[in-house]
Amino acid sequence: MTHRWLHLRLAAPLMAFGGVAIDHVGPTREYPSASALTGLFANALGWRRQDRAKHQALQDRLVFGALSVLPKGETVPLVVTDTQNAKLEKSDRGWTTWGQPEGRAGATYDSPHRRRRDYLADHETRVVLRLSDGNGPGLEELAAALDRPARPLFIGRKPCLPTSRLFVGWVGGVSVHDALAALGIRGRALWPDEGGAYPGALRYDLADLRNWQSGLHGGSRIVYEGELA
């Protein structure tokens, strides 16, 4: 059966798709995770972090694939590393996306707070997405929310503001792989295991799910990564 797929264009001077963080090091993947897309849509819809059941239900319904659009001659995206050093005082407050400054509790730090964050630089990713059956918003509602979001949108981290409209349009396809191919863009892509045979593609276990009740890692799924001609 041919499905209707939401087509997204994620592009920004800097963006981050997260990854398995170790200590103060925050890496980025090449493709968006299921939890990242869930957070993007939830922010556009105006949901709060406390709406855990809504987040979990939406993540459970996502069926998607992603394609890296790289400059001609390039085979891997450009990754830049930001080394952050900050001395945070008890009275310091930070900017938030809901219009109210955010404070912090606890004693003053005696030494700088150090973090390292990786970003994809001048990168573009295309996403095709549909929703499986279940309760919650439909594809049209998600598309409308991206065009008129309840809050400012960012791709991965708050400084990563998109350079263009996220919602591109619609494509058709029986599977995620078919929908990605329907974009007519050559590049490396990631799609879930839907029982097809993909010679030359790498099949592996990807940990990109979140348990929205606990806020921790929530499991993995089988995906394929390979070239789209």
Side-chain angles (χ1 to χ4, degrees):
M1 182 179 73
T2 299
H3 297 286
R4 190 184 187 211
W5 301 81
L6 190 69
H7 177 197
L8 306 180
R9 178 178 183 263
L10 308 180
L14 293 175
M15 59 186 183
F17 291 139
V20 179
I22 300 176
D23 294 330
H24 67 288
V25 179
T28 180
R29 293 189 173 103
E30 184 175 352
Y31 309 97
S33 63
S35 58
L37 291 175
T38 300
L40 176 66
F41 287 122
N43 192 35
L45 291 164
W47 294 354
R48 304 178 63 196
R49 290 182 181 272
Q50 292 86 340
D51 298 324
R52 298 181 180 91
K54 289 183 178 180
H55 285 74
Q56 189 65 56
L58 178 58
Q59 178 180 275
D60 292 344
R61 296 173 62 205
L62 294 181
V63 182
F64 71 96
L67 169 71
S68 279
V69 182
L70 299 176
K72 187 176 181 180
E74 299 294 330
T75 58
V76 294
L78 174 62
V79 176
V80 298
T81 299
D82 179 28
T83 301
Q84 304 168 354
N85 298 284
K87 185 176 181 181
L88 303 177
E89 306 291 345
K90 183 177 181 180
S91 60
D92 288 344
R93 299 193 297 174
W95 175 84
T96 67
T97 57
W98 56 86
Q100 296 294 328
E102 183 178 45
R104 60 178 300 274
T108 300
Y109 284 111
D110 294 328
S111 59
H113 182 57
R114 303 186 188 279
R115 298 196 306 178
R116 200 185 83 185
R117 294 293 182 265
D118 291 340
Y119 294 86
L120 299 171
D122 295 324
H123 191 64
E124 177 181 339
T125 298
R126 300 298 182 100
V127 174
V128 295
L129 178 144
R130 69 176 180 87
L131 298 171
S132 61
D133 294 336
N135 297 323
L139 281 181
E140 289 78 9
E141 188 176 348
L142 296 184
L146 292 178
D147 277 345
R148 292 184 175 274
R151 293 190 292 264
L153 300 180
F154 49 88
I155 305 176
R157 300 188 182 117
K158 290 179 182 178
C160 303
L161 304 180
T163 57
S164 62
R165 184 185 183 197
L166 272 62
F167 170 58
V168 178
W170 307 93
V171 295
V174 175
S175 66
V176 177
H177 186 270
D178 289 343
L180 287 169
L183 300 179
I185 302 173
R186 187 185 184 95
R188 189 166 64 251
L190 184 84
W191 62 93
D193 183 3
E194 297 179 290
Y198 308 102
L202 177 64
R203 184 177 186 268
Y204 59 94
D205 192 54
L206 177 64
D208 74 337
L209 302 176
R210 179 173 180 170
N211 183 319
W212 290 92
Q213 293 296 329
S214 66
L216 302 175
H217 167 65
S220 58
R221 58 196 179 97
I222 302 299
V223 298
Y224 283 91
E225 183 176 349
E227 295 289 332
L228 286 183

